[in-house]
Amino acid sequence: MSEQKNTQDNDLITRLALIVGVMGGLFGGLILKGARRKATWTWGRINAWFFYSMTVTFFVLAHNLNIPFFIDSLSWIFPKGLGEWVYFNVPRGMQFTVLVVIPFLGWLGAIGAAVSLRVRKYQVGLDHLGLRTSSNLKPVVIDSFRVGEHQKRLLVRAIGIDINDFKNRKGALESAFNAIVEDIRVLENDRQFIEILLSEKSLPTLVGYDEMVTKHLAAPYTFLVGQSLGEFIVGNLLELHHMIVAGSTGGGKSFFFKQALMGIAESSKHIQFYLIDLKRGVEVKIFERLDNVRIAKEAHEAIAILTAVVDEMDKRFKFLEEKGLTEIVPDRDKMDRIVVGIDEASVLFTIEKSSRSSKAAAQSARDLTDRIAKLGRAAAIHLILATQKVVKETIDTRVQTNINARMVFRVNTVASSMTVLGNKMAAELPEIKGRGIWSVGSKDIVVQVPRLSPEEANDRVDDLLEKFNGTGKCQFGPMLLDLDEVQPKKNIFETHSDKKVQVVNDKVNAS
């Protein structure tokens, strides 16, 4: 009888040990999941746990205001005498473990449990697709992150599985996740992981310019930005003042640059455009028929334009000072609003070490643009800069700090996105032409910008000819300069070099 009882007791102990082991393993797995999650370790949370543990350590080691003292002080919560028992029977190391280590592990476990519950439906959906390696490894959903109001990003560990296996089954993924798969890509810094961008709503891949102009372009000095998941966004020069347009080749940067200029021209009357495109004016050629547009195609013309704009800005400040006003209002002061648009700004602003003349021109352009960015708002002068990269070598940091509106299309690296936006959103955009991030202040909104075709652009310029070239011209004043009269200045360094060459030649001829 006693042997049977011992056997039952041993079986019970074995079962309890098995249950405890399984529970411990599960809890340990949740702790690891919570600990491996990068979003767990924010500075705020780390600091909170550090100060909490330091505070507990102080009271554990204190002689008077210690843990047993506080237990006895809270007699309405704890049984009488518990504090004294803790003082004599529970070592200080165990007190620290109970008050810090166990809660900390519980916190990590709770995070891990929340992540597991959040990704479970995505893991089940992924399992249904049957993706496996030859060694039967399957993709594992590590975490999901809320990107915007209607978007999520899944992080999937897919060791040994080609990303094309996921892309080829995009339709099946959408069915399994009950969401729109906008993009699938390999994680830049760890190629064993892929990211899947999901959307509860879908942005259109093509937005027509003509339809949006009719619906949304009404107020003066406005332009079309793009369709977001919530509403169609319209930009206003009076609120934004200056703007940067950035993105890698083929993302839609040049299309947006042109359609923004077109929108401003169509919605405004008293306005002048000074456009700089050192690629021989290819991108802005459609505007050259308008009398209120000047296009610089060479570096010396660009410097002449920027110099003329800065001179005009100084005149306007003198006018404001004499009149006791704070800013130019075109209708009141009979002065045109001025827009300076620079496409591929890096070509104008990059300082080349090999050429003194190029270095001098680039530095001059940087200084003049900096003045416009700092002071142009009150003088009704605005900057629109387009570039592939926004770094100090292409656009001076002095200029960047004075521009709060940015339209950023897809960039190739996370570092580029961090530079221009301060986050990874531009690097995580899907490869859809015209898909970008509209960033104003602290708001970063994913949009699909309208596409203005070359044919449609020419037709719209035809409509603008009467407005800006006809008998009823709506500009208040003449243009600031005529580029046909601007001649390149010979650089002092080049002149000095020419003289040295001539002296050498004279010596050779004399000998």
Side-chain angles (χ1 to χ4, degrees), residues 223 225 235-245 372-374 377 381-385 390 395-408 419-422 437-445:
F223 58 94
V225 173
N236 191 325
L237 274 185
L238 303 185
E239 300 171 357
L240 304 174
H241 310 304
H242 309 306
M243 177 171 62
I244 288 176
V245 184
I372 297 171
K374 284 180 179 177
R377 182 192 64 80
I381 298 174
H382 307 271
L383 275 175
I384 301 178
L385 307 180
V390 181
I395 298 180
D396 199 297
T397 51
R398 298 174 298 170
V399 175
Q400 294 182 42
T401 55
N402 288 288
I403 300 179
N404 74 325
R406 303 184 181 211
M407 184 70 237
V408 186
T419 300
V420 66
L421 285 176
I437 308 290
W438 175 243
S439 177
V440 179
S442 60
K443 293 183 178 180
D444 296 325
I445 304 171

Side-chain angles (χ1 to χ4, degrees), residues 243-246 253-254 257-258 261 273-279 283-284 294-296 302-303 305-306 309 339-350 364-366 368-370 372-373 382-388 394-395 399 403:
M243 177 171 62
I244 288 176
V245 184
K253 168 175 55 67
S254 295
F257 182 72
K258 285 185 287 189
L261 294 174
F273 293 92
Y274 296 89
L275 309 180
I276 298 173
D277 180 7
L278 299 190
K279 296 184 301 181
E283 294 296 344
V284 293
R294 293 290 182 268
I295 299 176
I303 300 299
I305 277 181
L306 294 173
V309 171
V339 174
V340 179
I342 305 178
D343 191 27
E344 296 299 347
S346 59
V347 180
L348 177 63
F349 294 139
T350 300
S364 177
R366 282 169 170 257
L368 291 167
T369 306
D370 176 47
I372 297 171
H382 307 271
L383 275 175
I384 301 178
L385 307 180
T387 182
Q388 289 189 29
T394 57
I395 298 180
V399 175
I403 300 179

Side-chain angles (χ1 to χ4, degrees), residues 323-342:
K323 299 294 184 179
L325 303 171
T326 58
E327 64 178 354
I328 295 294
V329 177
D331 288 330
R332 179 195 65 197
D333 303 320
K334 307 304 178 186
M335 296 182 185
D336 296 317
R337 195 168 291 276
I338 292 173
V339 174
V340 179
I342 305 178

